[in-house]
Structure formats: structure tokens, C-alpha cells
Amino acid sequence: MLPPRTASAKSRWAWFARRLGAVLGLVAIGLVAWLWWASVLPGSYSALDMGVADFGGGPGAEAHAAVHGHAGTAGTDPAANVPVAGQTSVPDLTVDPDRPADVHVELIARAERVTPAGGEPFDGFTLNGSTPGPTIRANGGQLVEVVLRNEDVPAGVTAHWHGVDVPNAMDGVAGVTQDAVMPGQSFTYRFVADQIGTFWYHAHQASHPQVVGGLFGTLILDPAPETDAATAVAGNPTAVDAVAAIHTYPGGQRTINGVLGESHQEAAPGDVVRVRLINTDSTPTSAW
Ligand SMILES: [Cu+2]
């Protein structure tokens, strides 16, 4: 639209100035909107795609960056895994490889149709054919060795020991402390049970679908028989030691140890009952 022909030169100039201001304002808003949009997180993200390596600024960082000059595959390319003075590579943070295992467990991860007891089937995951996976038990001071084999979980798997301080290479964080264990591969976890208590383990690769879908189990670390803690437990005998892993499977199926609804634990009057309650969901839960 043009300014009215009868308008004076001055008002014509004001008319153009107003429109120019409006156009520049729109351009500025568009630029800000584009910058905002370009800065948001990507629509998809894979933990396998490690992006640009950040070597920090500590001693040897520049040499390390030079050795691992390529981004994104540090630790996966044996030729690039060259030790640098003053630095320790995560895969080297392990327990003594020569120490024999006290507890040895094999876990086989599969993608399959799962029907929890009393529930509805869904496309989920199992460890050794069931979910939850087997309960792993060890005594304080024992070396726990778990071989995790991925039979056919397409996205790959890992095992993370929830709440347990393990050597960093054993922490099971795909893309950070190890690569995901892809179908046909295996990874051996070894750690010493230095903490006593009730823990659990779960997949830490594509964690949301995998943990919800069944890749988890419980880990019970008991006091070593000769310790004060063991004496305290012995002095207060526990007649029943029950594990209650609470988990919500797809479709909102609330379970205890993989079974829908109420679970009952028998005990005689006067018995001391220990219930190891584990919430394996990522939301708070009520228990009574
Ligand atoms: Cu966890």
C-alpha cells in the first residue's frame, strides 16, 4: 500500500519510517526466534554418539587431545588408546584382574514378550528369561563378577549397580564409562562388595524403555560373617528376610517381585521380619 498522494513530503517520510521500523522489528524478532530454535536440544540423541570430546584443562590435557584428536570415539579405537602421563583412562579403573571372583553370575539379556504374573503381556525384556532378573547376593568383602551377555536387545545393554560405589569402568553408564553391549557381545563387571545393604541393578542404555520393560534385578550385600555388623544382625535374629522390588511395567502394571497385586510373606508371631523394599520406578511410591 502506498501513502496517500495528497500527503505532504514530511508525512510521507513518517509513513515510510513507521513501516521501516515495523519491518526491522519483525526481522529482529525473527532472528531471535531462529537463534532460540537453533539452540534447543536435538530432536533425537544417542548415548552412542559421544559428540565432541572435552579433555578438560588439567595437566596433559593438550597431549591427550592430540592423541584423541578425533571426536566421539575415545576409548573405542584401540589405536587411539595411548596412555598419557598423569592421566588414567576410565577402562583402567578396575579391581585387580588377577583376583578370583567369590560370586560369579551370568546374565543373559533378551528382548521378548513378557507377561507378569497376574498381568497383561507387553513387548519387554528379560534377564535369564525372567524379570526381575536374578537376585545377586554377596557378603561384604567378596568380589562379585557378573558377565552380562546381550542376546538380542537391539539398542544394546549395560548393567549399572544402583547405589554401589564400584570402580568407574564397572559403573555401566553407556557412552560414558563403557560402550553399550550390543547383540552378540558381552561385558564382565567385577567389583568388591564394600558396602552392606539393599541395592539393585538396571540397564543404563536406553534406560527408560529398558528398565520399565524389565531389565533390572536386586543386589543384596550382606555383612561378612566375621564382622561386628554380622554379629549385630545375629544378635537380633531375623526369621524372615524378604526382598520386595516394586516395579511398574508398561500399561501401569504395578508389581512386587514381578507379581501384580498384593504379595504375602508368612511369618510366625514374634518373628523379626526384614523387608528390603526397593522402588525401581523413577517416581515416589507409597508402601505400608
Ligand atoms: Cu540407578
Side-chain angles (χ1 to χ4, degrees), residues 94-96 99 102 138-144 161 163-167 190-199 219-224 227 229:
T94 59
V95 294
D96 178 3
R99 183 175 161 186
D102 300 301
N139 288 325
Q142 287 190 317
L143 195 152
V144 180
W161 312 96
V164 185
D165 284 336
V166 297
R190 286 164 55 86
F191 58 89
V192 176
D194 287 328
Q195 291 159 272
I196 301 306
T198 303
F199 304 93
L219 171 67
I220 311 300
L221 303 179
D222 291 311
T227 60

Side-chain angles (χ1 to χ4, degrees), residues 43-219:
S44 65
Y45 175 80
S46 168
L48 291 173
D49 178 10
M50 304 209 329
V52 179
D54 180 352
F55 297 101
E62 278 174 27
H64 198 76
V67 168
H68 297 272
H70 56 297
T73 55
T76 61
D77 178 358
N81 197 9
V82 178
V84 174
Q87 295 193 347
T88 304
S89 188
V90 167
D92 296 334
L93 296 168
T94 59
V95 294
D96 178 3
D98 295 329
R99 183 175 161 186
D102 300 301
V103 174
H104 178 87
V105 177
E106 304 231 348
L107 297 176
I108 298 174
R110 292 192 190 94
E112 60 181 313
R113 198 97 174 127
V114 173
T115 307
E120 297 295 322
F122 60 89
D123 287 324
F125 306 95
T126 59
L127 289 167
N128 297 0
S130 72
T131 173
T135 292
I136 300 172
R137 271 196 115 108
N139 288 325
Q142 287 190 317
L143 195 152
V144 180
E145 182 176 87
V146 179
V147 179
L148 173 66
R149 297 185 198 286
N150 180 3
E151 193 164 288
D152 60 0
V153 180
V157 295
T158 64
H160 172 69
W161 312 96
H162 192 108
V164 185
D165 284 336
V166 297
N168 204 208
M170 304 288 115
D171 207 28
V173 184
V176 179
T177 64
Q178 69 170 96
D179 291 327
V181 181
M182 300 310 287
Q185 296 181 339
S186 72
F187 187 93
T188 301
Y189 297 89
R190 286 164 55 86
F191 58 89
V192 176
D194 287 328
Q195 291 159 272
I196 301 306
T198 303
F199 304 93
W200 65 297
Y201 58 91
H202 60 81
H204 209 303
Q205 157 75 345
S207 303
H208 182 71
Q210 290 186 357
V211 180
V212 172
L215 289 185
F216 72 96
T218 54
L219 171 67

Side-chain angles (χ1 to χ4, degrees), residues 137 198 220 222 238-243 265 272-276:
R137 271 196 115 108
T198 303
I220 311 300
D222 291 311
T238 300
V240 177
D241 189 326
V243 176
Q265 177 65 60
V272 174
V273 178
R274 172 186 286 131
V275 179
R276 301 171 181 270

